[in-house]
Amino acid sequence: MTWLAWRQHRVQVLLMAAVLLLGAVAVFVLHTSMSQQIQEQGLQRCLAMGVRGAGCATEASDFRDEWFDLLKAGQLVIVVLPVLLGVFSAAPLFAREIEHGTHVLAFTQSVSRVRWMAVKLVMLLVPSLVVLVVLQLLVSSWVADAGLMGPLVNGPFAFLNFESTGWIPTAHLLLSYAAGALLGAVVGRSLPAMISTLAGLVAVRGVVAVVGPSLVPSQLRTSDDPMNAPASGLDEVVQVGYLGADGRAIPEGGFDPAVCGVRGGGSGSTSDLAQCYAQHGVIGKYAEVVPASYAPMLQLIEFGVLGAVAVLLLAGTAWTLRRQH
């Protein structure tokens, strides 16, 4: 059975090997070039401070103009790769067999349908994992060496930073294969299965991005300055508002900062703004945030949730193959 699965999918496996080789070479060349530029221009002192560091404004800005988009492109590849593998490898895996009727021959052999499913999945899933993990490690090292002159300046909850690190790419790959396999077995035709897999995975990405921050506890931070939110640039801000004279949050719509010229082109001085806030009973500002240090915990939670969903989808695939084909 293993030999047959290899014969069926060797082209895909070899294609994955080529993608891994080309991707690794490209990242290595870019990473080496960037590191040499940092050393030649003496930018090591700016890695932890970015453009805000003393004497770093011009050099770091020029560095970001050259490398920032390339670094984000590398992260984007890691985010998109699980979806592409699910669409082009997992979705046709069983749909093509059912569409052409070749699954009937396989089911007449001594191998059980569950084992047939498992061998075919493993034959493509394992190489896919290797490609994804190796490229993820290479890109993560490249981004890390850019420090705060690169995408890390946006914090760990920025979409590309969060989705391209930790366990998240692996979780999405497992989900992509499970969803593609199930839809392929249910639909029974390659192209519709691929389209529905793509639509489903994009929808899941959107839902997870919106719901994710609510899976970890947030913190409430307050400030006596109503003109500045008490939140770090690296934290995920859930909600921001104003504090009234009683120290409680002012309900939404209870105070419009436009009356003090904050919006609409007002140009009052700091003292005038402070006086205006005080006249309207605003004594401070609050921010509900998810601290940047919670990012690894959120990644682990999402991995567990998506992994459990993937197991359920695979169980559904096994049931479909046993009962409907």
Side-chain angles (χ1 to χ4, degrees), residues 208-294:
V208 171
V210 173
V211 177
S214 64
L215 298 178
V216 292
S218 60
Q219 294 181 357
L220 184 65
R221 298 176 182 174
T222 60
S223 169
D224 295 333
D225 183 358
M227 290 175 284
N228 293 299
S232 165
L234 301 181
D235 298 329
E236 176 74 5
V237 178
V238 179
Q239 185 178 14
V240 176
Y242 294 94
L243 297 174
D246 57 357
R248 297 182 179 179
I250 298 176
E252 185 177 356
F255 171 70
D256 184 0
V259 300
C260 293
V262 176
R263 292 186 297 221
S267 57
S269 66
T270 300
S271 59
D272 291 338
L273 289 175
Q275 184 178 4
C276 181
Y277 279 119
Q279 289 175 350
H280 287 83
V282 178
I283 65 167
K285 205 167 189 179
Y286 75 89
E288 184 182 354
V289 303
V290 178
S293 59
Y294 286 9

Side-chain angles (χ1 to χ4, degrees), residues 5 30 35 42 52 58 133 136 163 173 205 226 313 318:
L30 291 169
S35 299
R52 294 183 294 272
T58 302
V133 171
Q136 178 189 350
E163 295 289 328
L173 179 65
R205 286 274 189 179
L313 293 179

